[in-house]
Amino acid sequence: MIRLAVVGARGRMGRLVEEVVAAMPDAEVVHRVGSGDPLAFGEADAVVDVTLPQVSPDVVRAAGRASLPVLVGTSGWSADRLDALRAERGEGGPAALVVPNFSLGAVLAARFAEQAATWFDSIEIVEAHHAGKADSPSGTAVATAERIAAARSGVGPVAAPHTDQRARGQQVGSVPVHSLRLDGVLAAQDVHFGAPGEVLTITHRTQSREAYAAGVRLAVRALPGLTGVVVGLEPLLTP
Ligand SMILES: NC(=O)c1ccc[n+]([C@@H]2O[C@H](COP(=O)([O-])OP(=O)(O)OC[C@H]3O[C@@H](n4cnc5c(N)ncnc54)[C@H](OP(=O)(O)O)[C@@H]3O)[C@@H](O)[C@H]2O)c1
């Protein structure tokens, strides 16, 4: 039985974690922390952080001081932040599992985009999120573009003309990324691959927060067996 402390327990993701864990026979939420509470973890064996990008590093540090593994669902863990975390935590010791997207469909969509990356020279990403999302492009779009760029290291940057024009999006690893912020949308991403005579589009839609449940379960179960800093659900998915 994994006993969890949830930081950000009263937020939307915190409530989802509570609901998912309540249905798991092998996990239990034993401690809940909100913005008005001391940052402590009670009798927990592991910590789940679903707070705010500016709060998350303190939660992760506090979990490290308490020698507890931490599952981070909060956004904002850029490559720089992750490098600093790796330096802080080292290779061994309890894990920090940082999951930018709990949706298994989104993780697989990024994997498929990586597979297609070398076969098309025109590649662009269009992502859409609810109007309340403060940051753009989304972390998922940035991660997808970075994976495409890494896969193309042998063939070079994508062919993206006229990127000096603002409407052509923000380039991430040479891939133009376009962000929509719309009422009525939760999260969506289309990766378009163009070649002479054809276009392949890899589409993912998050229709409701239920999309995160399977990923939360997978991450909670994997956490005790991990060490060091692990990023994303990809390493937890068998081929
Ligand atoms: N990984 C994924 O798949 C995924 C999916 C969706 C969202 N997210 C990310 O998850 C995070 C949370 O999203 P959300 O929609 O749940 O946001 P939310 O509803 O605004 O909840 C955030 C929670 O953080 C808590 N909080 C703020 N400061 C705190 C502090 N100093 N100590 C402890 N708790 C504190 C708040 O507690 P009080 O209520 O007590 O003030 C609030 O309940 C965001 O970064 C979001 O982008 C990730």
Side-chain angles (χ1 to χ4, degrees), residues 165-212:
Q165 298 169 13
R166 287 185 68 196
R168 295 283 297 113
Q170 177 177 325
Q171 281 184 283
V172 180
S174 87
V175 180
V177 181
H178 311 266
S179 297
L180 317 182
R181 293 294 172 264
L182 293 173
D183 284 333
V185 177
L186 184 54
Q189 180 168 291
D190 296 316
V191 188
H192 301 282
F193 297 85
E198 63 176 336
V199 174
L200 167 69
T201 302
I202 297 173
T203 293
H204 180 258
R205 298 280 177 266
T206 305
Q207 310 283 25
S208 80
R209 281 176 192 268
E210 276 179 278
Y212 306 131

Side-chain angles (χ1 to χ4, degrees), residues 7-8 10-14 33-36 50-53 55 73-75 99-103 209 212:
V7 187
R10 283 181 283 274
R12 281 164 295 200
M13 286 301 285
V33 183
S35 57
V50 274
T51 56
L52 306 172
V55 174
T74 308
S75 52
V99 180
N101 200 326
F102 283 115
S103 148
R209 281 176 192 268
Y212 306 131

Side-chain angles (χ1 to χ4, degrees), residues 127-146:
E127 58 97 343
H129 280 81
H130 54 91
K133 185 172 175 61
D135 54 315
S136 64
S138 72
T140 299
V142 170
T144 306
E146 284 172 348

